[in-house]
Amino acid sequence: MNESTVVESKQFQDEYGYLHTTKAILGQGGQGIVYRTHDVDLAIKLPLKGGEPLNHPHDIRQAKKSFNRLKYLPLETLKISTPIALLEQEFIAESPINTTGYIMRLMADMRPFSDFIFGEQTPQDIKRLEIPNYLQDTFAFANNMDILQRMAFYIATHGVKRRLKALYRCALVLHQLHSRGLFFADINPNNEFLSNDLEYEEVWLIDADNIYYDDPNNHQVDIYFPKYGAPEVVTRKAKSSIVSDCYSFAILSHIILTQHHPFDGIAITENENAGWDDDNQNNEDFSSEVDKSETGELAWILSRHDNSNQNLIPLGFVIQEPEIFKLFEQTFEQGKFDIYQRPTMNLWVIALAKLHDRLLSCPNCHFTFATLADETCELCQMPRPAYLNIEVFNQQKAKVWQFVHGINDSEIQIPTRLVSSVDTDEGYISLLEVTVTDKHLLLTKKHRDWDCSILGTSRSSSWVYTFKTALVYDSVIEIQALSKNHTDQNFILQLSIKK
C-alpha cells in the first residue's frame, strides 16, 4: 500500500570511490534514515544526530567504528542486511562534505512490514481504499468509517495468512540471531522487509547497527523504537537484550495482526486530555515524555484478568487462536515485568508456523475460516473452497502438524517443517509438490534428504518422481516420510482433498 516516499535526490560517495544516488525514503527514525538508491538492489543507511547527518569528525569516527564492528559478528547466513561499503562524502551543490553511513543490499521487490499497518499509511493511501460491498452490507461495524477502512485495508493487504507467514519468517531470523547470543534492539515495522511477490516468503532485516552480544557488562545499548520498546528499556532500568527483543517482537506481531497496539485501550482514551497522574515524573530514571502504554503500567487490552484498559477491537479474534494467544498473554501479563517469563523466539516461530499452516484462507477476502466445518466465509459469505488437507503423525501415532491449503491452478508446495525442524531454514524448503487437476492428483518429491513413499503401492521412492492418481474427494493417501540423515525421523502424512 504505502509506497516509498520520493524525495529530492542526494548523492554519496563510498570508501571505494563509487557514487550512489538516493531515490526514495524507505524508513526514518530518531537514529537514522534509510534510502532506496537508483541501483535497485542497494540501499543507504544514513545515521542522524539531532535530525541531521553526521558531520563532526568525532561523530563520524565513532559511527564508522560501530559499523566496522559488525564485520566481526557471526552474522553470516542470517537474513540480515549488513554494510558492504561505508560512505565517505555527501555532495551538496556539487561540493563534497564529509559524512558517514553505509551501503547495504536490499532486493528491489521487498517491502517494509509497515505496509501491513493501517496507521502507517498516508491519508492518500487510505482515501484510495475501496470498501467492498459485503463489508457495508454484513459487517457489524458498517456505520463506522474508520473500522470499515481498517477492514478494507486488511483485505487489500492479503489478510491473515500473509501476515502470519511474514511474522513466522521474521521470528525465525530473530531466533537464529538470538541463538548466537546476539540481540537486534531496534525492532520496528521499518526494519523488516518481505518479498512483494506473493509466491515467495523471503524476509530480511535491515539497520543492523545496534546488534550486540547480550552481555550488559560489555554494551550500553538501550535503543528502542517509540511504542515498540520493552518496559525495562523504556524506563531505563535495563539495557537492550534478547528478552527485550522478544517483547518488541510481540508488540510488532500484535499491531500487524490486529491493527492495534497491545496497550492502546480505554485507559489511554480516558486520560489523553486530562494528562497522566504520574508520581514518577521527577524520577531521574523515568522520562515524563513517555506515556504509560510504553512503561508497562497499563493492562493488555485483551486481558482475561484485568479489564481496566480493555479495547473491543474488530480484529482481536485473529489472535484468539490458542497457538498464539497464550504467547501474547505470557508476554504482556506474566512477562511484562518478569522478563524471564517471556516466550523465546523459537516458541513464536513454532506457534506462528503452526497457525499459518492449519488455517484456510477465503480466496475472495483473504480472511480465514474459523473452522473447516464452516461452509461459508463469515465475512464475505463466499462458499468454502475445495482444499488440500494434510495431517502428520509421528512414530507414536500422535498428530504433530496440520497443513491446509486452498486448491488453485498452481502447484502447492508442502514445506519440510511438517516433518523436520520448524525453527531452521530447512522448515520452508519444499518436501513435496502437490498439483490438483480436474481429474487427477499429482505428487512430486522435492527434497533429496527425505524418502517419501506412498503406502499401499509398489512405487519406488527415488529422488525425483511424480505419483499420479485419480482425484477422489475425501479419499486419504498415506505417505511415509523417512529422513535419510536421521533414521528416528519417520512420519506418516495423511493427505486428502476436501470439498
Side-chain angles (χ1 to χ4, degrees):
M1 292 286 298
N2 185 17
E3 298 291 339
S4 303
T5 305
V6 178
V7 294
E8 182 181 355
S9 292
K10 297 177 178 288
Q11 192 172 61
F12 298 90
Q13 181 173 294
D14 68 27
E15 59 187 315
Y16 303 112
Y18 292 103
L19 296 178
H20 305 271
T21 305
T22 62
K23 183 178 181 181
I25 295 176
L26 288 175
Q28 184 171 4
Q31 280 201 306
I33 185 168
V34 177
Y35 294 98
R36 178 76 74 185
T37 72
H38 282 277
D39 186 328
V40 295
D41 292 331
L42 295 179
I44 286 176
K45 166 63 186 292
L46 192 67
L48 302 176
K49 185 174 183 179
E52 297 295 330
L54 305 185
N55 52 35
H56 190 280
H58 173 75
D59 294 334
I60 292 173
R61 284 195 302 271
Q62 290 299 109
K64 286 184 175 180
K65 182 179 178 180
S66 178
F67 300 150
N68 280 317
R69 175 187 58 84
L70 298 175
K71 297 177 182 178
Y72 304 101
L73 296 179
L75 301 177
E76 53 283 339
T77 75
L78 297 184
K79 290 181 168 56
I80 298 177
S81 190
T82 54
I84 57 175
L86 300 187
L87 299 179
E88 294 286 347
Q89 294 179 323
E90 178 182 1
F91 288 90
I92 299 177
E94 300 184 356
S95 298
I97 305 296
N98 289 340
T99 189
T100 194
Y102 60 82
I103 305 297
M104 59 184 169
R105 292 189 177 90
L106 184 65
M107 296 299 101
D109 69 336
M110 303 198 84
R111 308 297 296 273
F113 275 24
S114 58
D115 279 13
F116 283 130
I117 300 174
F118 180 82
E120 297 286 340
Q121 310 311 304
T122 66
Q124 292 77 16
D125 289 329
I126 295 170
K127 191 174 181 179
R128 286 195 295 265
L129 280 171
E130 293 185 11
I131 300 175
N133 290 333
Y134 56 78
L135 282 182
Q136 302 178 64
D137 295 339
T138 64
F139 189 57
F141 298 93
N143 61 343
N144 187 314
M145 180 54 67
D146 178 68
I147 293 177
L148 278 176
Q149 288 176 330
R150 288 175 184 271
M151 296 295 289
F153 169 77
Y154 209 82
I155 292 165
T157 50
H158 304 286
V160 178
K161 289 197 71 168
R162 181 69 169 165
R163 285 169 163 79
L164 289 171
K165 180 182 288 187
L167 291 168
Y168 150 59
R169 292 296 298 274
C170 178
L172 181 57
V173 178
L174 289 170
H175 165 62
Q176 293 169 339
L177 182 71
H178 291 177
S179 68
R180 302 179 189 198
L182 300 162
F183 64 85
F184 191 79
D186 195 13
I187 294 174
N188 72 77
N190 298 313
N191 282 345
E192 301 84 21
F193 281 71
L194 173 71
S195 303
N196 199 36
D197 191 330
L198 297 181
E199 296 300 316
Y200 297 94
E201 48 187 20
E202 285 288 315
V203 167
W204 279 77
L205 274 57
I206 68 166
D207 208 358
D209 311 7
N210 298 303
I211 294 178
Y212 281 86
Y213 282 105
D214 193 358
D215 180 359
N217 295 320
N218 291 322
H219 78 79
Q220 296 297 314
V221 177
D222 54 1
I223 297 301
Y224 69 94
F225 195 81
K227 295 293 186 180
Y228 289 85
E232 70 276 9
V233 180
V234 174
T235 58
R236 300 177 184 172
K237 294 177 180 177
K239 301 301 180 184
S240 302
S241 64
I242 286 174
V243 289
S244 68
D245 270 4
C246 295
Y247 195 92
S248 296
F249 176 81
I251 293 177
L252 177 70
S253 300
H254 196 285
I255 293 174
I256 285 177
L257 291 172
T258 72
Q259 302 299 299
H260 276 81
H261 190 279
F263 300 102
D264 185 8
I266 58 173
I268 289 180
T269 304
E270 291 172 352
N271 287 279
E272 62 184 1
N273 293 322
W276 297 110
D277 180 17
D278 197 329
D279 294 333
N280 294 319
Q281 285 186 356
N282 295 321
N283 188 323
E284 63 180 0
D285 293 325
F286 177 79
S287 171
S288 61
E289 297 178 358
V290 178
D291 67 42
K292 293 182 180 181
S293 69
E294 297 188 75
T295 59
E297 297 175 66
L298 300 180
W300 179 33
I301 61 174
L302 296 177
S303 174
R304 296 181 293 180
H305 315 292
D306 184 346
N307 63 3
S308 63
N309 190 36
Q310 67 182 356
N311 192 339
L312 301 178
I313 54 178
L315 289 163
F317 73 91
V318 175
I319 62 171
Q320 297 291 337
E321 300 289 350
E323 290 95 336
I324 60 173
F325 184 86
K326 62 182 180 182
L327 298 186
F328 283 116
E329 188 171 55
Q330 195 172 343
T331 301
F332 298 137
E333 296 194 328
Q334 302 98 307
K336 189 191 295 182
F337 298 117
D338 186 349
I339 62 176
Y340 297 109
Q341 289 292 320
R342 295 173 188 170
T344 54
M345 290 313 305
N346 67 307
L347 296 178
W348 283 103
V349 171
I350 295 168
L352 289 163
K354 273 196 169 184
L355 181 57
H356 170 273
D357 285 356
R358 76 165 177 83
L359 292 179
L360 177 65
S361 280
C362 173
N364 183 49
C365 71
H366 306 298
F367 271 74
T368 53
F369 289 83
T371 72
L372 294 174
D374 292 350
E375 295 185 356
T376 60
C377 173
E378 185 177 358
L379 185 64
C380 71
Q381 306 304 307
M382 287 288 288
R384 186 192 65 222
Y387 63 92
L388 166 70
N389 184 68
I390 299 177
E391 297 183 356
V392 183
F393 299 85
N394 63 16
Q395 288 176 289
Q396 289 72 44
K397 298 183 179 180
K399 182 178 172 181
V400 295
W401 208 272
Q402 183 176 15
F403 180 87
V404 175
H405 199 290
I407 302 302
N408 50 40
D409 295 333
S410 60
E411 297 83 6
I412 302 170
Q413 303 301 320
I414 311 303
T416 305
R417 61 176 171 268
L418 274 63
V419 295
S420 186
S421 298
V422 65
D423 57 356
T424 69
D425 288 340
E426 176 83 1
Y428 53 83
I429 297 173
S430 292
L431 174 71
L432 296 167
E433 182 179 274
V434 177
T435 305
V436 182
T437 68
D438 290 340
K439 297 181 179 180
H440 294 99
L441 174 66
L442 295 91
L443 305 176
T444 302
K445 183 180 172 186
K446 302 291 287 185
H447 201 303
R448 69 180 67 205
D449 293 334
W450 286 82
D451 269 329
C452 296
S453 54
I454 311 297
L455 298 184
T457 73
S458 58
R459 190 76 166 212
S460 168
S461 59
S462 57
W463 155 229
V464 177
Y465 79 101
T466 297
F467 178 83
K468 182 178 180 181
T469 186
L471 175 60
V472 180
Y473 287 101
D474 296 321
S475 176
V476 176
I477 297 174
E478 286 199 329
I479 304 169
Q480 183 179 42
L482 178 63
S483 171
K484 294 180 181 179
N485 300 324
H486 305 281
T487 55
D488 60 327
Q489 293 185 5
N490 187 352
F491 297 88
I492 300 297
L493 284 68
Q494 294 185 350
L495 182 152
S496 59
I497 306 297
K498 297 182 176 292
K499 282 189 174 180

